[in-house]
Coordinates of all heavy atoms in Angstrom, one line a residue:
H1 N -22.7 13.0 -17.8 CA -23.0 11.8 -17.0 C -21.8 10.8 -17.1 O -21.4 10.3 -16.0 CB -24.3 11.1 -17.6 CG -24.6 9.8 -16.9 ND1 -25.7 9.7 -16.0 CD2 -24.1 8.6 -17.0 CE1 -25.7 8.4 -15.6 NE2 -24.8 7.7 -16.1
E2 N -21.3 10.6 -18.3 CA -20.2 9.7 -18.4 C -18.9 10.3 -17.8 O -18.1 9.5 -17.2 CB -19.9 9.4 -19.9 CG -21.1 8.7 -20.6 CD -21.7 7.6 -19.9 OE1 -21.0 6.8 -19.3 OE2 -23.0 7.4 -19.9
G3 N -18.8 11.6 -17.8 CA -17.6 12.2 -17.2 C -17.7 12.1 -15.7 O -16.6 11.9 -15.0
I4 N -18.9 12.1 -15.1 CA -19.0 11.8 -13.6 C -18.6 10.4 -13.3 O -17.9 10.1 -12.3 CB -20.4 12.1 -13.2 CG1 -20.7 13.6 -13.3 CG2 -20.6 11.7 -11.7 CD1 -22.1 14.0 -13.1
H5 N -18.9 9.5 -14.2 CA -18.4 8.1 -14.0 C -16.9 8.1 -13.9 O -16.3 7.4 -13.1 CB -18.8 7.2 -15.1 CG -20.2 6.6 -15.0 ND1 -20.5 5.8 -14.0 CD2 -21.3 6.7 -15.7 CE1 -21.8 5.4 -14.1 NE2 -22.3 6.0 -15.1
G6 N -16.2 8.8 -14.8 CA -14.8 8.9 -14.8 C -14.3 9.5 -13.6 O -13.2 9.1 -13.0
D7 N -14.9 10.6 -13.1 CA -14.5 11.2 -11.8 C -14.6 10.2 -10.7 O -13.7 10.2 -9.8 CB -15.4 12.4 -11.5 CG -15.3 13.5 -12.6 OD1 -14.3 13.6 -13.3 OD2 -16.2 14.4 -12.6
R8 N -15.6 9.4 -10.6 CA -15.8 8.4 -9.6 C -14.7 7.4 -9.6 O -14.1 7.0 -8.6 CB -17.1 7.7 -9.7 CG -18.4 8.5 -9.3 CD -19.6 7.7 -9.4 NE -19.5 6.5 -8.6 CZ -19.4 5.3 -9.1 NH1 -19.4 5.0 -10.4 NH2 -19.3 4.2 -8.2
Y9 N -14.3 7.0 -10.8 CA -13.3 6.0 -11.0 C -11.9 6.5 -10.5 O -11.2 5.9 -9.8 CB -13.2 5.5 -12.4 CG -12.2 4.4 -12.7 CD1 -12.2 3.2 -11.9 CD2 -11.2 4.6 -13.6 CE1 -11.2 2.2 -12.2 CE2 -10.2 3.6 -13.8 CZ -10.3 2.4 -13.1 OH -9.3 1.5 -13.3
L10 N -11.6 7.8 -10.9 CA -10.4 8.4 -10.5 C -10.3 8.5 -9.0 O -9.3 8.2 -8.4 CB -10.2 9.8 -11.1 CG -8.9 10.5 -10.7 CD1 -7.7 9.7 -11.1 CD2 -8.9 11.9 -11.4
K11 N -11.4 8.8 -8.3 CA -11.4 8.9 -6.9 C -11.2 7.5 -6.3 O -10.4 7.4 -5.3 CB -12.8 9.4 -6.4 CG -12.9 9.6 -4.8 CD -14.2 10.2 -4.4 CE -14.2 10.5 -2.9 NZ -14.0 9.3 -2.1
I12 N -11.8 6.5 -6.8 CA -11.6 5.1 -6.3 C -10.1 4.7 -6.5 O -9.5 4.1 -5.6 CB -12.5 4.1 -7.1 CG1 -13.9 4.3 -6.7 CG2 -12.1 2.7 -6.8 CD1 -14.9 3.6 -7.6
L13 N -9.5 5.1 -7.6 CA -8.0 4.8 -7.8 C -7.2 5.5 -6.7 O -6.3 4.8 -6.2 CB -7.6 5.3 -9.2 CG -8.1 4.6 -10.4 CD1 -7.7 5.3 -11.7 CD2 -7.5 3.1 -10.5
N14 N -7.5 6.7 -6.4 CA -6.7 7.4 -5.4 C -7.0 7.0 -4.0 O -6.1 6.9 -3.2 CB -6.9 8.9 -5.6 CG -6.2 9.5 -6.7 OD1 -4.9 9.3 -6.8 ND2 -6.8 10.2 -7.6
D15 N -8.3 6.6 -3.7 CA -8.6 6.1 -2.4 C -8.0 4.8 -2.1 O -7.8 4.5 -0.9 CB -10.2 6.0 -2.3 CG -10.9 7.3 -2.2 OD1 -10.2 8.3 -2.0 OD2 -12.1 7.3 -2.3
N16 N -7.7 4.0 -3.1 CA -7.1 2.7 -2.8 C -5.6 2.7 -3.2 O -5.0 1.6 -3.3 CB -7.8 1.7 -3.6 CG -9.2 1.4 -3.1 OD1 -9.4 0.6 -2.2 ND2 -10.2 2.2 -3.6
K17 N -5.0 3.8 -3.4 CA -3.6 3.9 -3.9 C -2.6 3.3 -2.9 O -1.6 2.7 -3.3 CB -3.2 5.3 -4.2 CG -1.9 5.5 -4.8 CD -1.7 7.0 -5.3 CE -1.7 7.9 -4.1 NZ -1.4 9.3 -4.6
Q18 N -2.9 3.4 -1.6 CA -2.0 2.9 -0.6 C -1.8 1.4 -0.7 O -0.7 0.9 -0.4 CB -2.5 3.2 0.8 CG -1.5 2.9 1.9 CD -0.3 3.8 1.8 OE1 -0.3 5.0 1.5 NE2 0.9 3.1 2.0
I19 N -2.8 0.7 -1.2 CA -2.6 -0.8 -1.4 C -1.5 -1.1 -2.4 O -0.7 -2.0 -2.2 CB -4.0 -1.4 -1.9 CG1 -5.0 -1.3 -0.8 CG2 -3.8 -2.9 -2.3 CD1 -6.4 -1.6 -1.3
L20 N -1.5 -0.3 -3.5 CA -0.4 -0.4 -4.5 C 0.9 0.0 -4.0 O 1.9 -0.7 -4.2 CB -0.8 0.4 -5.7 CG 0.2 0.4 -6.9 CD1 0.5 -1.0 -7.4 CD2 -0.3 1.3 -8.1
I21 N 0.9 1.1 -3.2 CA 2.2 1.5 -2.6 C 2.8 0.5 -1.7 O 4.0 0.2 -1.7 CB 2.0 2.8 -1.8 CG1 1.6 4.0 -2.8 CG2 3.2 3.2 -1.0 CD1 1.2 5.3 -2.1
D22 N 1.9 -0.2 -0.9 CA 2.4 -1.2 0.0 C 3.0 -2.4 -0.7 O 4.0 -3.0 -0.3 CB 1.3 -1.7 0.9 CG 0.8 -0.6 1.9 OD1 1.6 0.3 2.2 OD2 -0.3 -0.7 2.5
K23 N 2.4 -2.7 -1.9 CA 2.9 -3.8 -2.7 C 4.3 -3.5 -3.3 O 5.2 -4.3 -3.3 CB 2.0 -4.2 -3.8 CG 0.7 -4.8 -3.3 CD 0.9 -6.2 -2.7 CE 1.4 -7.2 -3.7 NZ 1.5 -8.6 -3.0
L24 N 4.5 -2.2 -3.7 CA 5.8 -1.8 -4.2 C 6.8 -1.8 -3.1 O 8.0 -2.1 -3.4 CB 5.6 -0.4 -4.9 CG 4.7 -0.3 -6.1 CD1 4.6 1.1 -6.6 CD2 5.2 -1.3 -7.2
K25 N 6.4 -1.4 -1.9 CA 7.4 -1.4 -0.8 C 7.9 -2.8 -0.4 O 8.9 -2.9 0.3 CB 6.7 -0.7 0.4 CG 6.6 0.8 0.2 CD 6.1 1.5 1.5 CE 6.1 3.0 1.4 NZ 5.6 3.6 2.6
E26 N 7.2 -3.8 -0.9 CA 7.8 -5.2 -0.7 C 9.1 -5.4 -1.4 O 9.8 -6.3 -1.1 CB 6.7 -6.2 -1.1 CG 5.5 -6.2 -0.2 CD 4.4 -7.2 -0.7 OE1 4.7 -7.9 -1.7 OE2 3.3 -7.2 -0.1
L27 N 9.3 -4.6 -2.4 CA 10.6 -4.7 -3.2 C 11.7 -4.0 -2.5 O 12.2 -2.9 -2.8 CB 10.4 -4.1 -4.6 CG 9.3 -4.7 -5.4 CD1 9.0 -3.9 -6.7 CD2 9.7 -6.1 -5.8
D28 N 12.2 -4.7 -1.4 CA 13.2 -4.1 -0.5 C 14.1 -5.3 -0.1 O 13.6 -6.1 0.7 CB 12.5 -3.4 0.6 CG 13.5 -2.8 1.6 OD1 14.8 -3.1 1.5 OD2 13.1 -1.9 2.4
F29 N 15.3 -5.4 -0.6 CA 16.1 -6.7 -0.4 C 17.5 -6.4 0.1 O 18.0 -5.2 -0.1 CB 16.2 -7.5 -1.7 CG 14.9 -7.6 -2.4 CD1 14.7 -7.1 -3.7 CD2 13.8 -8.3 -1.9 CE1 13.5 -7.2 -4.4 CE2 12.6 -8.5 -2.5 CZ 12.4 -7.9 -3.8
T30 N 18.1 -7.4 0.6 CA 19.6 -7.3 0.7 C 20.2 -7.6 -0.6 O 19.5 -8.1 -1.6 CB 20.1 -8.4 1.7 OG1 19.8 -9.7 1.2 CG2 19.4 -8.3 3.1
C31 N 21.4 -7.4 -0.8 CA 22.1 -7.6 -2.0 C 22.0 -9.1 -2.4 O 21.7 -9.4 -3.6 CB 23.6 -7.2 -1.9 SG 24.5 -7.4 -3.4
V32 N 22.2 -10.0 -1.4 CA 22.2 -11.4 -1.7 C 20.8 -11.8 -2.1 O 20.6 -12.6 -3.1 CB 22.6 -12.2 -0.4 CG1 22.4 -13.7 -0.7 CG2 24.1 -11.9 -0.1
E33 N 19.7 -11.3 -1.4 CA 18.4 -11.7 -1.8 C 18.1 -11.3 -3.2 O 17.5 -12.1 -4.0 CB 17.4 -11.0 -0.8 CG 17.3 -11.6 0.5 CD 16.5 -10.7 1.5 OE1 16.4 -9.5 1.2 OE2 16.0 -11.3 2.5
Y34 N 18.5 -10.1 -3.6 CA 18.2 -9.6 -5.0 C 18.9 -10.5 -6.0 O 18.3 -10.9 -7.0 CB 18.6 -8.1 -5.1 CG 18.5 -7.7 -6.5 CD1 17.2 -7.6 -7.2 CD2 19.6 -7.3 -7.3 CE1 17.1 -7.2 -8.5 CE2 19.5 -6.9 -8.6 CZ 18.2 -6.8 -9.2 OH 18.1 -6.4 -10.5
N35 N 20.2 -10.7 -5.8 CA 21.0 -11.4 -6.8 C 20.6 -12.9 -6.9 O 20.7 -13.5 -8.0 CB 22.5 -11.3 -6.5 CG 23.0 -9.9 -6.9 OD1 22.7 -9.4 -8.0 ND2 23.7 -9.2 -6.1

């Protein structure tokens, strides 16, 4: 039963992964912006 809870949580993590990817893709700068 508890393992199925874990399986559900892992699926939720992967189903929503694109949200995290999009946030990481915001880290895209010119040299001046970064410095």
Side-chain angles (χ1 to χ4, degrees):
H1 178 107
E2 302 310 322
I4 293 171
H5 275 299
D7 296 342
R8 287 184 57 251
Y9 182 57
L10 179 58
K11 183 178 186 301
I12 291 168
L13 288 172
N14 282 309
D15 287 349
N16 291 272
K17 187 170 67 173
Q18 189 62 45
I19 296 170
L20 179 57
I21 292 172
D22 291 342
K23 292 296 292 184
L24 295 177
K25 285 184 174 182
E26 293 176 4
L27 297 171
D28 182 346
F29 314 116
T30 66
C31 182
V32 172
E33 287 172 336
Y34 173 63
N35 283 315

